[in-house]
């Protein structure tokens, strides 16, 4: 899979919480966890399961830092 997003991280799905239309997918990358809200249909179409190896791709116009 090739994507234009430069920020790509390989990780493991640790949790999937399904709702009526959306699902929350937690992906562990090293000591970090990324949480993505995707459609339930996408979870089913990709056949996502806990312990699957996936790529987290982040493409944003802004990155904010607070202190």
């Amino acid at each position: 899979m090739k994507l234009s997003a430069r920020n790509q991280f390989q990780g493991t799905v640790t949790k999937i919480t399904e709702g009526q239309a959306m699902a929350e997918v937690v992906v562990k990358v090293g000591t970090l966890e990324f949480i993505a809200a995707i459609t339930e249909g996408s979870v089913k179409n990709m056949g996502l399961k806990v312990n699957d190896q996936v790529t987290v791709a982040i493409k944003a116009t802004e990155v904010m830092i607070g202190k």
Side-chain angles (χ1 to χ4, degrees):
M1 171 179 63
K2 292 186 180 187
L3 297 173
S4 62
R6 292 182 182 245
N7 299 309
Q8 296 183 36
F9 306 93
Q10 307 303 315
T12 305
V13 176
T14 58
K15 183 178 179 183
I16 300 172
T17 305
E18 295 187 34
Q20 290 183 343
M22 298 296 291
E24 187 175 88
V25 180
V26 181
V27 179
K28 186 169 177 101
V29 177
T31 59
L32 300 174
E33 283 188 333
F34 290 89
I35 302 170
I38 64 175
T39 64
E40 195 171 321
S42 291
V43 171
K44 287 182 177 29
N45 287 337
M46 288 189 283
L48 283 180
K49 301 180 299 302
V50 170
N51 294 321
D52 278 355
Q53 298 298 306
V54 297
T55 300
V56 174
I58 300 170
K59 187 162 184 163
T61 56
E62 294 181 41
V63 176
M64 296 181 188
I65 296 175
K67 180 176 178 185

